[in-house]
């Protein structure tokens, strides 16, 4: 089954404790993105990647890092999480830059 | 910068009634437009898209949207809604480099 998987689905952590949210897709897609969803703000792009080892900032990259060492994986790293990063995070992939984006199920992160 | 406006944060409607969810965008260049749907506790799924050609696009479950260049709109309509259409709907515009700008979402609430 074609899908985007994210782990964990739920995470509660404390300020400053480094964490990684994994994202993997099995569709051989070139393009991958991370978004955060906040009430009243819709989805905002954090980072995106056009290919292995090619990443770039989206609209809200501060406090986040990403890497794309393999085509299928695109982890999101929070080196020192803060409470304002409490949000619902989605990973997405697409075959082409303007194509349909396939979203993962989301990761709900709470930083206390 | 391109932006998307969804003026209605919530639209309550009775089952079998028609509905229109409004979306306006700002752009000085050609655009690709999308509607995504998010059912409770799930990721986003593509509902329909406009890339080029006919300005009226349809989904498999009865929704349609019309691209209106002069009014910079891409409103979503359905002539008769079902309870199962209850979800949040996001309009999005593709800006290039896999940058998809989302609106803030409209929550459609269908009641019996």
């Amino acid at each position: 089954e074609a899908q985007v998987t994210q782990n964990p689905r739920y995470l509660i952590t404390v300020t400053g404790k480094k964490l990684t949210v994994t994202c993997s897709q099995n569709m051989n897609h070139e393009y991958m993105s991370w978004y955060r969803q906040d009430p009243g703000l819709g989805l905002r792009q954090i980072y995106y990647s056009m290919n292995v080892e090619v990443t770039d900032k989206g609209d809200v990259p501060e406090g986040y890092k990403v890497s794309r060492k393999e085509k299928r994986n695109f982890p999101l790293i929070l080196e020192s999480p803060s409470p304002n990063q409490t949000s619902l995070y989605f990973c997405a992939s697409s075959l082409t830059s303007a194509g349909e984006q396939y979203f993962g199920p989301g990761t709900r992160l709470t930083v206390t | 910068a391109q932006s998307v406006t969804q003026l209605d944060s919530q639209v309550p409607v009775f089952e079998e009634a028609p509905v229109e969810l409004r979306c306006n965008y700002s752009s000085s260049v050609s655009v690709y437009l999308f509607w995504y749907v998010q059912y409770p506790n799930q990721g986003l799924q593509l509902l329909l898209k406009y890339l080029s050609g006919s300005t009226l696009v349809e989904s498999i479950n009865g929704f349609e949207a019309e691209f209106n260049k002069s009014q910079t709109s891409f409103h979503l309509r359905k002539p008769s809604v079902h309870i199962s259409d209850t979800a949040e709907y996001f309009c999005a515009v593709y800006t290039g480099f896999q940058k998809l700008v989302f609106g803030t979402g409209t929550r459609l609430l269908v009641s019996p």
Side-chain angles (χ1 to χ4, degrees):
Chain A
E1 179 189 356
Q3 61 182 349
V4 178
T5 57
Q6 293 178 229
N7 282 292
R9 293 289 313 277
Y10 301 91
L11 179 59
I12 300 174
T13 189
V14 296
T15 300
K17 185 176 182 182
K18 180 180 178 180
L19 65 91
T20 299
V21 184
T22 65
C23 172
S24 183
Q25 51 95 2
N26 63 0
M27 295 168 279
N28 202 36
H29 284 170
E30 300 280 344
Y31 298 87
M32 298 186 74
S33 282
W34 275 104
Y35 296 89
R36 59 178 289 173
Q37 183 179 12
D38 301 289
L41 296 177
L43 278 81
R44 294 177 292 168
Q45 191 181 54
I46 303 170
Y47 268 95
Y48 63 94
S49 170
M50 293 166 281
N51 210 330
V52 174
E53 302 292 3
V54 182
T55 64
D56 206 349
K57 296 177 181 178
D59 295 319
V60 288
E62 294 77 21
Y64 305 94
K65 286 176 55 178
V66 293
S67 69
R68 188 95 181 269
K69 292 183 169 49
E70 305 166 281
K71 196 172 187 179
R72 63 184 294 125
N73 296 324
F74 190 44
L76 179 70
I77 303 154
L78 284 72
E79 294 271 3
S80 182
S82 62
N84 64 12
Q85 292 178 298
T86 292
S87 187
L88 180 58
Y89 291 87
F90 288 101
C91 179
S93 72
S94 61
L95 186 61
T96 64
S97 60
E100 173 183 358
Q101 296 214 17
Y102 291 80
F103 284 82
T107 295
R108 186 166 292 280
L109 172 66
T110 301
V111 183
T112 59
Chain B
Q2 285 156 315
S3 66
V4 177
T5 302
Q6 292 181 251
L7 286 173
D8 305 307
S9 60
Q10 191 165 289
V11 174
V13 64
F14 289 109
E15 194 173 20
E16 298 184 6
V19 71
E20 178 180 81
L21 306 184
R22 295 179 293 169
C23 172
N24 288 88
Y25 67 92
S26 66
S27 174
S28 58
V29 298
S30 298
V31 295
Y32 298 152
L33 294 159
F34 304 82
W35 276 100
Y36 282 83
V37 58
Q38 184 179 30
Y39 298 105
N41 299 313
Q42 294 186 26
L44 281 74
Q45 306 169 35
L46 181 68
L47 187 61
L48 46 76
K49 63 185 177 185
Y50 170 79
L51 302 182
S52 65
S54 172
T55 58
L56 184 65
V57 290
E58 298 176 352
S59 72
I60 58 173
N61 57 353
F63 282 94
E64 65 179 30
E66 186 161 19
F67 170 56
N68 187 319
K69 188 175 182 179
S70 62
Q71 297 187 2
T72 60
S73 67
F74 191 54
H75 301 331
L76 182 69
R77 301 184 183 95
K78 190 171 185 180
S80 176
V81 295
H82 302 289
I83 296 284
S84 59
D85 292 325
T86 293
E88 189 154 20
Y89 293 80
F90 292 92
C91 183
V93 59
Y94 174 69
T95 69
F97 298 103
Q98 216 223 354
K99 190 168 179 59
L100 201 58
V101 177
F102 286 86
T104 52
T106 297
R107 190 173 299 276
L108 177 63
L109 300 169
V110 182
S111 53

